[in-house]
Amino acid sequence: MTTERDPARSRRDAVTRARRVVVKVGSSSISGENAAQIGPLVDALASAHARGTEVVLVSSGAIATGMPYLRLDARPHDLATQQAAAAVGQNVLIFRYQESLDRYGIVAGQVLLTATDLEHPTPRSNAQRAMERLLGLRILVIVNENDTVATQEIRFGDNDRLAGMVSELVGADLLVLLSDVDALYTKPPHEPGAERIAVVAHDDDLSGVELGSIGAAGVGTGGAGTKIAAAKLAVAQGVPVVLTSAAQVAEALRGDEVGTWFEAAPVE
């Protein structure tokens, strides 16, 4: 006698058995008034790390973190000031992560990338080799766009896309996209009638979804559209994706039924 496998159980197993996980967190979730959320995020990452999972954190937040030190009240629009804020903020941001990781005896390794690094064979190979070695040494890799040297022409534009590209680069088994909203909804979640979408098939074009902005802090560049695009990029490479809020990262990494699950496409 055979029984049909529980889809929820299958998804949970896919998370808990993932050998390598990429987690992306946005600026608004770990900067400004939410800087204290780095602690709970690290708690969840450390729990996954403790069970043997190799963890890559794609973290935005350099510019947002640097803004107060430059006495800026809003995200700068000119490239030079963005670069200056990133130069200051990246230093502070990585310090905050390492300070929190010290509680678990975990060492962070920082990798800064530009779009051209992943589009050209030599720098792409160099980045891949370095990250493979770091992960092999049980280092928790923290990736961000190299905002200090990136120009408007070569910028990723948002770290959601970067996370999707990094997932493919390192051969991740799971991508977790974190935002201010707990899941993908049929319309902006503050609107009447919005319904959570629990599962998205790999070939679902989501034509019936009305996209709104994810994140209202004014310090990031991503939104619902960029997260869907990043998810589609990952699932096309056979990497399943969980989209949920930063507040539910621990549940997501345990395989609980939270957020929206994007099913991976079959890969030959």
Side-chain angles (χ1 to χ4, degrees), residues 205-234:
D205 62 6
L206 294 169
S207 57
V209 176
E210 299 176 19
L211 296 182
S213 175
I214 287 183
V219 293
T221 58
T226 66
K227 287 169 178 58
I228 290 173
K232 291 294 187 181
L233 177 64

Side-chain angles (χ1 to χ4, degrees), residues 97-255:
Y97 276 124
Q98 185 58 68
E99 186 177 44
S100 190
L101 286 165
D102 283 345
R103 296 177 293 136
Y104 296 97
I106 298 174
V107 176
Q110 180 176 249
V111 177
L112 300 177
L113 299 170
T114 64
T116 52
D117 291 332
L118 298 186
E119 292 170 352
H120 292 81
T122 298
R124 175 185 170 87
S125 176
N126 290 338
Q128 186 178 47
R129 180 175 59 247
M131 292 174 70
E132 286 288 344
R133 185 62 181 133
L134 286 166
L135 291 170
L137 292 168
R138 298 294 290 150
I139 301 299
L140 193 150
V141 179
I142 301 178
V143 178
N144 196 356
E145 184 176 9
N146 195 351
D147 291 310
T148 302
V149 301
T151 67
Q152 295 289 9
E153 289 74 22
I154 65 173
R155 290 173 61 86
F156 287 103
D158 63 82
N159 275 352
D160 297 314
R161 178 171 170 244
L162 173 58
M165 297 173 74
V166 168
S167 296
E168 188 273 332
L169 179 72
V170 302
D173 301 302
L174 176 71
L175 170 61
V176 180
L177 296 173
L178 304 176
S179 74
D180 299 332
V181 180
D182 65 342
L184 179 65
Y185 285 80
T186 53
K187 60 176 66 177
H190 63 275
E191 294 186 6
E195 298 180 359
R196 181 175 77 94
I197 301 173
V199 179
V200 176
H202 71 88
D203 55 355
D204 189 342
D205 62 6
L206 294 169
S207 57
V209 176
E210 299 176 19
L211 296 182
S213 175
I214 287 183
V219 293
T221 58
T226 66
K227 287 169 178 58
I228 290 173
K232 291 294 187 181
L233 177 64
V235 301
Q237 301 296 325
V239 183
V241 178
V242 178
L243 169 61
T244 191
S245 66
Q248 293 184 317
V249 60
E251 291 87 342
L253 289 174
R254 287 199 303 261

Side-chain angles (χ1 to χ4, degrees), residues 24-133:
K24 185 269 176 181
V25 66
S27 299
S28 61
S29 297
I30 45 87
S31 63
E33 295 181 354
N34 291 326
Q37 296 306 308
I38 286 178
L41 171 61
V42 166
D43 291 341
L45 299 178
S47 180
H49 188 274
R51 66 175 183 248
T53 303
E54 296 173 347
V55 180
V56 177
L57 175 66
V58 177
S59 176
S60 301
I63 292 175
T65 300
M67 282 164 45
Y69 295 91
L70 301 183
R71 297 181 175 84
L72 298 172
D73 296 325
R75 183 184 176 92
H77 296 291
D78 66 290
L79 182 59
T81 307
Q82 289 177 4
Q83 291 171 320
V88 174
Q90 191 64 47
N91 171 57
V92 176
L93 185 61
I94 199 68
F95 172 80
R96 290 174 179 172
Y97 276 124
Q98 185 58 68
E99 186 177 44
S100 190
L101 286 165
D102 283 345
R103 296 177 293 136
Y104 296 97
I106 298 174
V107 176
Q110 180 176 249
V111 177
L112 300 177
L113 299 170
T114 64
T116 52
D117 291 332
L118 298 186
E119 292 170 352
H120 292 81
T122 298
R124 175 185 170 87
S125 176
N126 290 338
Q128 186 178 47
R129 180 175 59 247
M131 292 174 70
E132 286 288 344
R133 185 62 181 133

